[in-house]
Amino acid sequence: MSAIHPVVDEGLGNSSYLVELGDGRALVVDPVRDPTPYLELARERRLRVTHAVETHLHADFVSGSRELAAHGAQVVAARAAGLRFPHLGLEDEEALDLGGLALRAVATPGHTPEHLAWLLLDGARPLTLFSGGALLVGGVARTDLISPDQTEPLTRAAWASLQRLRSLPDDLPVDPTHGAGSFCSTPGNAERTTTIGAERAHNPLLAAPDEEAFAERLLGGLGSFPPYFLLLREVNRHGPRVLGERDRALPELPVEQVRRLLEDGAVLVDVRPARAFAAGHPAGALSIALRPAFATWLGWLVEVDRPLVFVLGRGQDRAELVRQCHKIGYERLAGELAGGMAAWRSAALPEGHLEQVAPGEVVGPVLDVRQASEVALGHLPGAVAVELGALDGESLPAGPLTVMCGHGHRAMTAASLLARAGRRDLRVVMGGGAAEWSASTGRPLARP
């Protein structure tokens, strides 16, 4: 059997797959923008990537198919996607001959109108289903990312697609694109791959008795999603720009140049760890710590057309920062503050600080900025719950405020937004969340 190597993006909660074709060639299913992981894996295994295969027009990341095409791969996608760059467009039941193996298109609309799952075949024998968002571990991908008027018909289409997939053999492996941590996913479990039989037995959406029950279960489990999701389908349809070496560099900018950029509308994003930000940061900076989830929160909180200037700490990975920006289509990267926070202090420019407290030290009004699904599992009694992505500060209680999340990163981001808007007397809970507060104080959590 052909070897299949998952490449997981923990920040986006997605998987792409490098598939060995058995003759020195390989294909990649749903690549992210940076082709490096696929090319390095192919090089290690003495393979040549000949095809980049798309299941659908992605809303949560910029596709890497054009990057792989620049290295010689042929792009394969749904004809209905209407890609505006060279590709092979296939329709339902059409197959790509891979020389002994074949990849057959299975029309599975729902997550998107043009969605194709891909059935890898050895002759007539099915080997694997690359299901994209049509079937996930414990769920299906959401149907509300196109427009409100399409949500209901796409939900109906998703039900019909599930009925088609459930007829496949029980032992057939299923390799989805979306998984745990993806805002394209409905709630599921942490496993990233599954089988048709396992989903028939355990997937609550596949077990829905009829279309109405399916629609109610699916739509009732959907939470919020970043606004950049509404932009990337068209970016991927038209084809993202192929990046060059200069795009991968992050210029160092002297303090005075940073000041001028900020005066002209640039956003200063401090990507140092939350504790370092709390100890001292440029006044007005937005805290988004560089971690796997960085891109999601950048895309949620900062407009794509704003120039970005970054504050980094010693030893932080500049290349990783640039990769995360590029994978969601953020390309106006002006550079980083040369000399970091030390240079800002040397210039005697305004500096902000935030008080940090442990979970057991929480007093006064509490703002919980976790997602609603997290808050539903338990929160501090009397806490005001506002998701980080919806925070505006206008409806919050006056006076001192303690901000918390699960570990402290999102709470620090929220506090930086509030401080930038002029709020004072802020404290940030670091090192734990509601469960740690309950364990420290012996008091039970409340539930909505």
Side-chain angles (χ1 to χ4, degrees), residues 262-348:
L262 298 181
E263 289 170 358
D264 290 339
V267 178
L268 185 60
V269 182
D270 193 323
V271 305
R272 295 175 299 152
R275 291 187 185 277
F277 181 87
H281 56 267
L286 172 64
S287 171
I288 309 179
L290 183 58
R291 61 195 194 280
F294 171 82
T296 294
W297 293 110
L298 177 69
W300 210 316
L301 300 172
V302 180
E303 301 93 333
V304 69
D305 58 351
R306 297 282 294 276
L308 301 177
V309 180
F310 300 99
V311 181
L312 292 102
R314 187 175 300 170
Q316 286 193 289
D317 190 343
R318 274 71 177 165
E320 173 62 13
L321 171 62
V322 172
R323 278 193 296 270
Q324 289 215 39
C325 293
H326 285 162
K327 77 179 178 183
I328 61 166
Y330 281 57
E331 298 185 10
R332 299 193 67 185
L333 313 183
E336 68 167 294
L337 172 63
M341 193 58 204
W344 190 267
R345 288 193 177 112
S346 295

Coordinates of all heavy atoms in Angstrom, one line a residue, residues 262-348:
L262 N 3.9 53.8 13.0 CA 2.8 53.8 13.9 C 1.9 55.0 13.7 O 0.7 55.0 13.7 CB 3.2 53.7 15.3 CG 4.0 52.4 15.7 CD1 4.3 52.4 17.1 CD2 3.2 51.2 15.3
E263 N 2.5 56.2 13.5 CA 1.8 57.4 13.2 C 1.0 57.3 11.9 O -0.1 58.0 11.8 CB 2.7 58.6 13.2 CG 3.3 59.0 14.5 CD 4.4 60.0 14.4 OE1 4.8 60.4 13.3 OE2 5.0 60.4 15.5
D264 N 1.5 56.5 11.0 CA 0.8 56.4 9.7 C -0.2 55.3 9.6 O -0.7 54.9 8.6 CB 1.9 56.2 8.6 CG 2.7 57.4 8.3 OD1 2.2 58.5 8.7 OD2 3.8 57.3 7.8
G265 N -0.4 54.6 10.8 CA -1.5 53.6 10.9 C -1.0 52.2 11.0 O -1.9 51.3 11.0
A266 N 0.3 51.9 11.1 CA 0.7 50.5 11.4 C 0.3 50.1 12.7 O 0.1 50.9 13.7 CB 2.3 50.5 11.2
V267 N 0.2 48.8 12.9 CA -0.1 48.1 14.2 C 1.2 47.5 14.8 O 1.9 46.8 14.1 CB -1.2 47.0 14.0 CG1 -1.5 46.3 15.3 CG2 -2.4 47.6 13.4
L268 N 1.4 47.8 16.0 CA 2.6 47.2 16.7 C 2.1 46.0 17.5 O 1.3 46.1 18.4 CB 3.2 48.3 17.7 CG 4.5 47.9 18.4 CD1 5.6 47.6 17.4 CD2 4.9 49.0 19.4
V269 N 2.7 44.8 17.1 CA 2.3 43.6 17.7 C 3.5 43.0 18.4 O 4.5 42.8 17.9 CB 1.8 42.5 16.6 CG1 1.4 41.2 17.2 CG2 0.7 43.1 15.7
D270 N 3.3 42.8 19.7 CA 4.4 42.3 20.6 C 4.2 40.8 20.7 O 3.2 40.3 21.3 CB 4.3 43.0 22.0 CG 5.5 42.7 22.8 OD1 6.1 41.6 22.8 OD2 5.9 43.6 23.6
V271 N 5.1 40.0 20.1 CA 4.9 38.6 20.1 C 5.7 37.9 21.2 O 5.8 36.6 21.2 CB 5.3 38.0 18.7 CG1 4.5 38.7 17.6 CG2 6.8 38.1 18.4
R272 N 6.3 38.6 22.1 CA 7.0 38.0 23.2 C 6.0 37.2 24.1 O 4.8 37.5 24.1 CB 7.8 39.0 24.0 CG 8.9 39.7 23.2 CD 9.5 40.9 24.1 NE 8.5 41.9 24.4 CZ 8.5 42.6 25.5 NH1 9.5 42.5 26.4 NH2 7.6 43.5 25.7
P273 N 6.5 36.3 24.9 CA 5.7 35.6 25.9 C 4.9 36.6 26.7 O 5.3 37.7 27.0 CB 6.6 34.8 26.7 CG 7.8 34.6 25.8 CD 7.9 35.8 25.0
A274 N 3.7 36.2 27.2 CA 2.8 37.0 27.9 C 3.4 37.7 29.2 O 3.2 38.8 29.5 CB 1.5 36.3 28.3
R275 N 4.2 36.9 29.9 CA 4.9 37.4 31.1 C 5.8 38.5 30.8 O 6.0 39.5 31.5 CB 5.5 36.3 31.9 CG 4.5 35.3 32.5 CD 5.3 34.3 33.4 NE 4.3 33.3 33.9 CZ 3.5 33.5 35.0 NH1 3.5 34.6 35.6 NH2 2.8 32.5 35.4
A276 N 6.6 38.4 29.7 CA 7.5 39.4 29.3 C 6.7 40.7 28.9 O 7.2 41.8 29.2 CB 8.4 39.0 28.1
F277 N 5.6 40.5 28.2 CA 4.8 41.7 27.8 C 4.3 42.4 29.0 O 4.4 43.6 29.1 CB 3.6 41.2 27.0 CG 2.7 42.3 26.5 CD1 3.0 43.0 25.3 CD2 1.6 42.7 27.2 CE1 2.2 44.1 24.9 CE2 0.8 43.7 26.8 CZ 1.0 44.4 25.7
A278 N 3.8 41.7 30.0 CA 3.3 42.3 31.3 C 4.4 43.1 32.0 O 4.1 44.1 32.5 CB 2.7 41.2 32.2
A279 N 5.6 42.6 31.9 CA 6.7 43.3 32.7 C 7.1 44.6 32.0 O 7.7 45.4 32.7 CB 7.9 42.4 32.7
G280 N 6.7 44.8 30.8 CA 7.0 46.1 30.1 C 6.9 46.0 28.6 O 7.5 45.0 28.0
H281 N 6.2 46.9 28.0 CA 5.9 46.8 26.6 C 5.7 48.2 26.0 O 5.4 49.1 26.8 CB 4.7 45.9 26.2 CG 3.5 46.4 26.9 ND1 3.1 45.9 28.2 CD2 2.5 47.3 26.6 CE1 2.0 46.4 28.6 NE2 1.6 47.3 27.6
P282 N 5.9 48.4 24.7 CA 5.6 49.7 24.2 C 4.1 50.1 24.4 O 3.2 49.2 24.1 CB 5.9 49.6 22.7 CG 6.9 48.5 22.6 CD 6.5 47.5 23.7
A283 N 3.9 51.2 24.9 CA 2.5 51.6 25.2 C 1.7 51.5 23.9 O 2.1 52.0 22.8 CB 2.4 53.0 25.8
G284 N 0.5 50.9 24.0 CA -0.4 50.8 22.8 C -0.1 49.5 22.0 O -0.8 49.3 21.0
A285 N 0.9 48.7 22.3 CA 1.2 47.5 21.6 C 0.1 46.4 21.9 O -0.5 46.4 23.0 CB 2.6 46.9 21.9
L286 N -0.1 45.6 20.9 CA -1.1 44.5 21.0 C -0.3 43.2 21.3 O 0.7 42.9 20.6 CB -1.8 44.3 19.7 CG -2.7 43.1 19.6 CD1 -3.8 43.1 20.6 CD2 -3.3 43.0 18.1
S287 N -0.6 42.5 22.4 CA 0.1 41.3 22.8 C -0.6 40.1 22.1 O -1.7 39.8 22.3 CB 0.0 41.1 24.3 OG 0.5 39.8 24.6
I288 N 0.2 39.4 21.2 CA -0.2 38.1 20.7 C 1.1 37.3 20.7 O 1.9 37.4 19.8 CB -0.7 38.2 19.2 CG1 -1.9 39.2 19.1 CG2 -1.3 36.8 18.8 CD1 -2.4 39.3 17.7
A289 N 1.2 36.5 21.7 CA 2.4 35.7 21.9 C 2.6 34.7 20.7 O 1.7 34.1 20.2 CB 2.4 34.9 23.2
L290 N 3.9 34.6 20.3 CA 4.2 33.7 19.1 C 4.1 32.3 19.7 O 5.0 31.8 20.4 CB 5.6 34.0 18.6 CG 6.1 33.2 17.4 CD1 5.1 33.3 16.2 CD2 7.5 33.6 17.0
R291 N 3.1 31.6 19.2 CA 2.9 30.2 19.6 C 2.1 29.6 18.4 O 1.7 30.3 17.4 CB 2.1 30.1 20.9 CG 0.7 30.8 20.8 CD 0.2 31.1 22.2 NE -1.2 31.4 22.3 CZ -1.7 32.6 22.1 NH1 -0.9 33.6 21.7 NH2 -3.0 32.9 22.2
P292 N 1.7 28.3 18.4 CA 1.0 27.7 17.3 C -0.3 28.5 16.9 O -0.6 28.5 15.7 CB 0.7 26.3 17.8 CG 1.9 26.0 18.7 CD 2.2 27.2 19.4
A293 N -1.0 29.0 17.9 CA -2.3 29.7 17.6 C -2.1 31.2 17.2 O -3.1 31.9 17.0 CB -3.2 29.7 18.8
F294 N -0.8 31.6 17.0 CA -0.6 33.1 16.7 C -1.4 33.5 15.5 O -2.0 34.6 15.5 CB 0.9 33.3 16.5 CG 1.2 34.7 16.0 CD1 1.3 35.8 16.8 CD2 1.4 34.9 14.6 CE1 1.6 37.0 16.4 CE2 1.7 36.2 14.1 CZ 1.8 37.2 15.0
A295 N -1.3 32.8 14.4 CA -1.9 33.3 13.2 C -3.4 33.5 13.3 O -4.0 34.4 12.8 CB -1.7 32.3 12.0
T296 N -4.1 32.5 14.1 CA -5.5 32.6 14.2 C -5.9 34.0 14.9 O -6.8 34.7 14.5 CB -6.0 31.5 15.1 OG1 -5.9 30.3 14.4 CG2 -7.5 31.7 15.4
W297 N -5.2 34.3 16.0 CA -5.5 35.5 16.7 C -5.1 36.8 16.0 O -5.8 37.8 16.1 CB -5.0 35.5 18.1 CG -5.7 34.4 18.9 CD1 -5.2 33.2 19.3 CD2 -7.1 34.4 19.2 NE1 -6.1 32.4 19.9 CE2 -7.3 33.1 19.8 CE3 -8.1 35.3 19.1 CZ2 -8.6 32.8 20.3 CZ3 -9.4 34.9 19.5 CH2 -9.6 33.7 20.1
L298 N -4.0 36.7 15.2 CA -3.7 37.9 14.4 C -4.8 38.1 13.4 O -5.2 39.3 13.2 CB -2.3 37.6 13.7 CG -1.9 38.7 12.7 CD1 -1.5 39.9 13.4 CD2 -0.8 38.2 11.8
G299 N -5.2 37.1 12.7 CA -6.3 37.2 11.7 C -7.6 37.6 12.3 O -8.5 38.2 11.7
W300 N -7.8 37.3 13.6 CA -9.1 37.6 14.3 C -9.1 39.1 14.7 O -10.2 39.7 14.7 CB -9.3 36.8 15.5 CG -10.7 36.5 15.8 CD1 -11.8 37.4 15.8 CD2 -11.3 35.2 16.2 NE1 -12.9 36.7 16.2 CE2 -12.7 35.4 16.4 CE3 -10.8 33.9 16.3 CZ2 -13.6 34.4 16.8 CZ3 -11.6 32.9 16.7 CH2 -13.0 33.1 16.9
L301 N -8.0 39.7 15.0 CA -7.9 40.9 15.7 C -7.4 42.1 14.9 O -7.6 43.3 15.3 CB -7.2 40.8 17.0 CG -7.7 39.8 18.0 CD1 -6.8 39.6 19.2 CD2 -9.1 40.2 18.5
V302 N -6.6 41.8 13.8 CA -6.0 42.9 13.1 C -6.4 42.8 11.6 O -6.4 41.7 11.0 CB -4.4 42.7 13.2 CG1 -3.7 43.8 12.4 CG2 -4.0 42.7 14.6
E303 N -6.7 43.9 11.1 CA -7.2 44.0 9.7 C -6.0 43.6 8.7 O -4.9 44.0 9.0 CB -7.7 45.4 9.3 CG -8.8 45.9 10.1 CD -8.4 46.7 11.3 OE1 -7.2 46.5 11.8 OE2 -9.2 47.5 11.8
V304 N -6.3 42.9 7.7 CA -5.3 42.3 6.8 C -4.5 43.4 6.0 O -3.4 43.2 5.6 CB -5.9 41.3 5.8 CG1 -6.8 42.1 4.8 CG2 -4.8 40.5 5.1
D305 N -5.1 44.6 5.9 CA -4.5 45.7 5.1 C -3.7 46.6 5.9 O -3.1 47.6 5.4 CB -5.5 46.5 4.3 CG -6.6 47.1 5.2 OD1 -6.6 46.8 6.4 OD2 -7.4 47.9 4.6
R306 N -3.5 46.4 7.3 CA -2.7 47.2 8.1 C -1.3 46.8 8.1 O -1.0 45.6 8.3 CB -3.2 47.2 9.6 CG -4.7 47.7 9.8 CD -4.8 49.2 9.8 NE -4.1 49.8 10.9 CZ -4.6 49.9 12.1 NH1 -5.9 49.5 12.4 NH2 -4.0 50.5 13.1
P307 N -0.3 47.7 7.9 CA 1.1 47.3 8.0 C 1.4 46.9 9.4 O 0.8 47.4 10.4 CB 1.8 48.6 7.7 CG 0.8 49.5 7.0 CD -0.5 49.1 7.6
L308 N 2.3 45.9 9.6 CA 2.5 45.3 10.9 C 4.0 45.5 11.2 O 4.9 45.3 10.4 CB 2.3 43.8 10.8 CG 0.8 43.3 10.5 CD1 0.7 41.8 10.4 CD2 -0.1 43.9 11.5
V309 N 4.2 45.9 12.5 CA 5.5 46.0 13.1 C 5.5 45.1 14.3 O 4.6 45.1 15.1 CB 5.9 47.5 13.4 CG1 7.3 47.5 14.1 CG2 5.8 48.4 12.2
F310 N 6.6 44.4 14.5 CA 6.7 43.4 15.6 C 7.7 43.7 16.6 O 8.8 44.3 16.3 CB 6.9 42.0 15.0 CG 5.9 41.6 14.0 CD1 6.1 41.7 12.7 CD2 4.7 41.0 14.5 CE1 5.2 41.3 11.7 CE2 3.7 40.6 13.5 CZ 4.0 40.8 12.2
V311 N 7.4 43.4 17.9 CA 8.4 43.4 18.9 C 8.7 41.9 19.3 O 7.8 41.2 19.6 CB 7.9 44.1 20.2 CG1 9.0 44.1 21.3 CG2 7.5 45.5 19.8
L312 N 9.9 41.5 19.2 CA 10.3 40.1 19.5 C 11.3 40.1 20.6 O 12.0 41.1 20.9 CB 10.9 39.4 18.2 CG 9.9 39.2 17.1 CD1 10.1 40.2 16.0 CD2 10.1 37.7 16.6
G313 N 11.4 38.9 21.2 CA 12.5 38.7 22.2 C 13.7 38.0 21.7 O 13.6 37.4 20.5
R314 N 14.7 38.0 22.4 CA 15.9 37.3 22.0 C 15.6 35.8 21.8 O 15.0 35.1 22.6 CB 17.0 37.5 23.0 CG 18.4 36.9 22.6 CD 19.4 37.3 23.7 NE 19.5 38.7 23.9 CZ 20.2 39.3 24.8 NH1 20.8 38.5 25.7 NH2 20.3 40.6 24.9
G315 N 16.1 35.3 20.7 CA 15.9 33.8 20.4 C 14.6 33.4 19.8 O 14.4 32.3 19.5
Q316 N 13.6 34.3 19.6 CA 12.4 34.0 19.0 C 12.6 33.7 17.5 O 13.4 34.4 16.9 CB 11.3 35.0 19.3 CG 10.8 35.0 20.7 CD 9.5 35.8 20.9 OE1 9.5 37.0 20.8 NE2 8.4 35.1 21.1
D317 N 11.8 32.8 17.0 CA 12.0 32.4 15.6 C 11.3 33.3 14.6 O 10.1 33.3 14.4 CB 11.4 31.0 15.5 CG 11.7 30.3 14.1 OD1 12.1 31.0 13.2 OD2 11.6 29.1 14.0
R318 N 12.1 34.2 14.0 CA 11.6 35.2 13.0 C 10.9 34.5 11.8 O 9.9 34.9 11.3 CB 12.6 36.1 12.5 CG 12.9 37.3 13.4 CD 13.6 37.0 14.7 NE 13.9 38.2 15.5 CZ 14.2 38.2 16.7 NH1 14.3 37.1 17.4 NH2 14.5 39.4 17.4
A319 N 11.5 33.4 11.4 CA 11.0 32.7 10.2 C 9.6 32.1 10.5 O 8.7 32.1 9.6 CB 12.0 31.6 9.8
E320 N 9.5 31.6 11.7 CA 8.2 31.0 12.1 C 7.1 32.1 12.1 O 5.9 31.9 11.7 CB 8.2 30.3 13.4 CG 6.9 29.9 14.0 CD 6.2 28.8 13.2 OE1 6.8 28.3 12.2 OE2 5.0 28.6 13.4
L321 N 7.5 33.3 12.6 CA 6.5 34.4 12.7 C 6.1 34.8 11.2 O 4.9 35.0 11.0 CB 7.2 35.6 13.3 CG 6.4 37.0 13.2 CD1 5.1 36.9 13.9 CD2 7.3 38.1 13.8
V322 N 7.0 34.9 10.3 CA 6.7 35.3 9.0 C 5.8 34.2 8.3 O 4.8 34.5 7.6 CB 8.0 35.5 8.1 CG1 7.7 35.7 6.7 CG2 8.7 36.7 8.7
R323 N 6.2 32.9 8.6 CA 5.4 31.8 8.0 C 3.9 31.9 8.5 O 3.0 31.7 7.7 CB 5.9 30.4 8.4 CG 7.1 30.0 7.5 CD 7.4 28.5 7.8 NE 7.9 28.3 9.2 CZ 9.2 28.3 9.5 NH1 10.1 28.6 8.7 NH2 9.5 28.1 10.8
Q324 N 3.7 32.1 9.8 CA 2.4 32.2 10.3 C 1.6 33.4 9.7 O 0.4 33.2 9.4 CB 2.4 32.3 11.8 CG 2.9 31.0 12.5 CD 2.1 30.7 13.8 OE1 0.9 31.0 13.9 NE2 2.8 30.2 14.8
C325 N 2.2 34.5 9.5 CA 1.5 35.6 8.9 C 1.1 35.2 7.4 O 0.0 35.5 7.0 CB 2.4 36.8 8.9 SG 2.7 37.5 10.5
H326 N 2.1 34.7 6.7 CA 1.8 34.4 5.3 C 0.7 33.3 5.1 O 0.0 33.3 4.1 CB 3.1 33.9 4.6 CG 4.1 35.0 4.3 ND1 5.4 34.7 4.1 CD2 3.9 36.3 4.2 CE1 6.0 35.9 3.8 NE2 5.1 36.8 4.0
K327 N 0.6 32.4 6.0 CA -0.3 31.3 5.8 C -1.8 31.7 6.0 O -2.7 31.0 5.5 CB -0.1 30.1 6.8 CG -0.5 30.3 8.2 CD -0.1 29.0 9.0 CE -0.5 29.1 10.5 NZ -0.1 27.9 11.2
I328 N -2.0 32.9 6.5 CA -3.4 33.5 6.5 C -3.5 34.7 5.6 O -4.5 35.5 5.7 CB -3.9 33.7 7.9 CG1 -3.0 34.8 8.6 CG2 -4.0 32.5 8.8 CD1 -3.6 35.3 9.9
G329 N -2.5 34.9 4.8 CA -2.6 36.0 3.8 C -2.2 37.4 4.3 O -2.4 38.4 3.6
Y330 N -1.5 37.4 5.4 CA -1.0 38.7 5.9 C 0.5 38.9 5.4 O 1.4 38.2 5.7 CB -1.0 38.7 7.5 CG -2.4 39.0 8.0 CD1 -3.4 38.2 7.7 CD2 -2.6 40.1 8.8 CE1 -4.7 38.4 8.2 CE2 -3.9 40.4 9.4 CZ -4.9 39.5 9.0 OH -6.2 39.8 9.5
E331 N 0.6 39.9 4.5 CA 1.8 40.1 3.8 C 2.5 41.5 4.0 O 3.6 41.8 3.6 CB 1.6 39.9 2.3 CG 1.2 38.4 2.0 CD 1.1 38.1 0.5 OE1 1.6 39.0 -0.3 OE2 0.6 37.1 0.2
R332 N 1.7 42.4 4.7 CA 2.3 43.8 4.9 C 3.1 43.8 6.2 O 2.8 44.4 7.2 CB 1.2 44.8 4.9 CG 0.3 44.9 3.6 CD -0.5 46.1 3.6 NE 0.3 47.3 3.5 CZ -0.2 48.6 3.6 NH1 -1.5 48.7 3.7 NH2 0.6 49.6 3.6
L333 N 4.2 43.1 6.1 CA 5.1 42.9 7.3 C 6.2 43.9 7.2 O 7.2 43.7 6.5 CB 5.7 41.5 7.3 CG 4.7 40.3 7.1 CD1 5.4 39.0 7.3 CD2 3.5 40.5 8.1
A334 N 6.0 45.1 7.8 CA 7.0 46.2 7.7 C 8.4 45.8 8.3 O 9.4 46.1 7.8 CB 6.5 47.4 8.4
G335 N 8.3 45.0 9.4 CA 9.6 44.6 10.0 C 9.5 44.5 11.5 O 8.4 44.6 12.1
E336 N 10.6 44.4 12.2 CA 10.6 44.3 13.7 C 11.4 45.5 14.3 O 12.3 46.1 13.6 CB 11.2 43.0 14.1 CG 12.7 42.9 13.9 CD 13.3 41.7 14.6 OE1 13.4 41.8 15.9 OE2 13.8 40.7 14.0
L337 N 11.0 45.8 15.5 CA 11.7 46.9 16.2 C 13.2 46.4 16.5 O 13.4 45.5 17.2 CB 11.0 47.2 17.5 CG 11.7 48.1 18.5 CD1 11.8 49.5 17.9 CD2 10.9 48.1 19.8
A338 N 14.1 47.1 15.9 CA 15.5 46.8 16.1 C 15.9 47.0 17.5 O 15.7 48.0 18.1 CB 16.4 47.6 15.1
G339 N 16.5 46.0 18.1 CA 16.9 46.1 19.5 C 15.8 45.8 20.5 O 16.1 45.8 21.7
G340 N 14.6 45.5 20.0 CA 13.5 45.1 20.9 C 13.2 46.1 21.9 O 13.3 47.3 21.8
M341 N 12.7 45.6 23.0 CA 12.2 46.4 24.1 C 13.3 47.3 24.7 O 13.0 48.4 25.1 CB 11.6 45.6 25.2 CG 10.7 46.4 26.2 SD 9.4 47.3 25.4 CE 9.1 48.6 26.6
A342 N 14.5 46.8 24.7 CA 15.6 47.6 25.2 C 15.8 48.9 24.4 O 16.1 50.0 25.0 CB 16.9 46.8 25.2
A343 N 15.6 48.8 23.1 CA 15.8 50.0 22.3 C 14.6 51.0 22.5 O 14.8 52.2 22.5 CB 15.8 49.6 20.8
W344 N 13.4 50.5 22.8 CA 12.3 51.3 23.1 C 12.5 52.1 24.4 O 12.3 53.3 24.5 CB 11.0 50.5 23.2 CG 9.8 51.3 23.3 CD1 9.1 51.7 24.4 CD2 9.0 51.7 22.2 NE1 8.0 52.3 24.1 CE2 7.8 52.4 22.7 CE3 9.1 51.6 20.8 CZ2 6.8 53.0 21.9 CZ3 8.1 52.2 20.0 CH2 7.0 52.9 20.6
R345 N 13.1 51.4 25.4 CA 13.4 52.0 26.7 C 14.5 53.1 26.5 O 14.4 54.1 27.1 CB 13.8 51.0 27.7 CG 12.6 50.1 28.2 CD 13.0 49.3 29.4 NE 11.9 48.5 29.9 CZ 11.8 47.2 29.9 NH1 12.8 46.5 29.4 NH2 10.8 46.6 30.3
S346 N 15.5 52.7 25.8 CA 16.6 53.7 25.6 C 16.1 55.0 24.9 O 16.7 56.0 25.2 CB 17.7 53.0 24.7 OG 18.3 51.9 25.4
A347 N 15.1 54.9 24.1 CA 14.6 56.1 23.5 C 13.6 56.8 24.4 O 13.0 57.9 24.0 CB 13.9 55.7 22.2
A348 N 13.4 56.3 25.6 CA 12.5 56.9 26.6 C 11.1 57.1 26.1 O 10.5 58.1 26.4 CB 13.1 58.3 27.1

